[in-house]
Amino acid sequence: NTADYVYPKDWNNLIENKDTLILDVRNKFEYEVGTFKNSMNPKIKNFSEFKMFVDRKLKKQVNKKIAMFCTGGIRCEKASSYMLSKGFKNLFQLRGGILKYLKEIPIKKSKWRGECFVFDNRVSVKNELANGSYELCYGCRMPLKKKDCKSDKYEKGVSCPKCFRQLSNDKKKRLRE
């Protein structure tokens, strides 16, 4: 058993159905950078916490139609496999993930809100895979909005408002070097 794949061109129809639970299987910070409108945030720090999220928060949704998505599709494969083993039946996953959706769906038809965090030097991308506006903090490895970079706690390559107080002076010194 596997989840049904939904191609980007058919995704909007699925997620516009009010009976569909839209599930973002990515980490909390990725969700905050951008997601589909009305999607559920599992509020996990890393993907290894996803099973616990399913067991605690979704067990009553076992018969619900669930549309899940992630950046490129790999986490959805793992998530749907686990959920199917737990008795979920109506699972759908976005084929090719958010990146394929952003590449193929014109901005005027897009249901995506914000940007998509990516694990490379671009940090984030927008519709049509245009470079996003986020930077990466080297102190905590978290994505930064432009307003974060204007903070007096931001030092390029060293710290940001999210990690300024957690980093030791020695660590900041090493990052400056």
Side-chain angles (χ1 to χ4, degrees):
N1 284 348
T2 61
D4 290 324
Y5 292 107
V6 178
Y7 288 88
K9 65 182 177 66
D10 302 316
W11 182 252
N12 288 353
N13 289 336
L14 175 63
I15 66 171
E16 286 174 344
N17 181 331
K18 62 183 168 214
D19 294 325
T20 301
L21 174 75
I22 308 164
L23 179 60
D24 191 329
V25 303
R26 302 171 307 145
N27 304 331
K28 182 182 174 200
F29 76 88
E30 292 173 277
Y31 179 95
E32 291 170 359
V33 170
T35 194
F36 285 102
K37 183 179 177 185
N38 298 323
S39 68
M40 177 182 244
N41 179 0
K43 298 178 183 172
I44 56 177
K45 288 184 182 177
N46 53 56
F47 188 69
S48 62
E49 297 175 0
F50 187 77
K51 289 179 181 180
M52 202 166 36
F53 163 75
V54 170
D55 295 343
R56 289 185 179 166
K57 303 288 184 180
L58 290 182
K59 61 184 170 190
K60 293 180 182 174
Q61 308 285 347
V62 74
N63 293 314
K64 183 114 175 137
K65 183 187 293 186
I66 299 175
M68 62 177 61
F69 63 94
C70 62
T71 305
I74 294 169
R75 285 179 276 185
C76 282
E77 291 289 335
K78 293 177 180 181
S80 66
S81 176
Y82 180 74
M83 292 173 74
L84 288 165
S85 77
K86 292 294 190 175
F88 289 83
K89 295 173 182 42
N90 299 314
L91 298 179
F92 301 86
Q93 62 189 66
L94 178 57
R95 181 75 169 197
I98 301 161
L99 295 178
K100 187 169 179 76
Y101 181 90
L102 291 177
K103 181 178 180 182
E104 293 183 5
I105 303 302
I107 193 166
K108 289 181 180 178
K109 293 184 178 180
S110 180
K111 302 296 178 191
W112 183 257
R113 303 294 178 257
E115 299 178 17
C116 178
F117 179 82
V118 290
F119 297 90
D120 61 32
N121 290 338
R122 295 174 295 177
V123 184
S124 67
V125 294
K126 303 178 196 179
N127 287 83
E128 299 164 359
L129 299 184
N131 285 342
S133 61
Y134 284 76
E135 286 190 36
L136 194 64
C137 174
Y138 289 92
C140 63
R141 311 300 296 164
M142 295 299 284
L144 303 174
K145 295 178 183 176
K146 288 182 181 186
K147 71 174 186 158
D148 296 324
C149 297
K150 292 179 181 174
S151 167
D152 60 348
K153 292 175 177 62
Y154 172 74
E155 184 178 342
K156 188 172 182 78
V158 178
S159 65
C160 73
K162 298 171 188 172
C163 69
F164 181 80
R165 286 187 169 74
Q166 284 84 26
L167 296 178
S168 69
N169 287 333
D170 284 342
K171 170 95 180 196
K172 289 177 186 174
K173 181 180 176 187
R174 285 192 306 274
L175 288 167
R176 285 183 190 108
E177 291 171 357

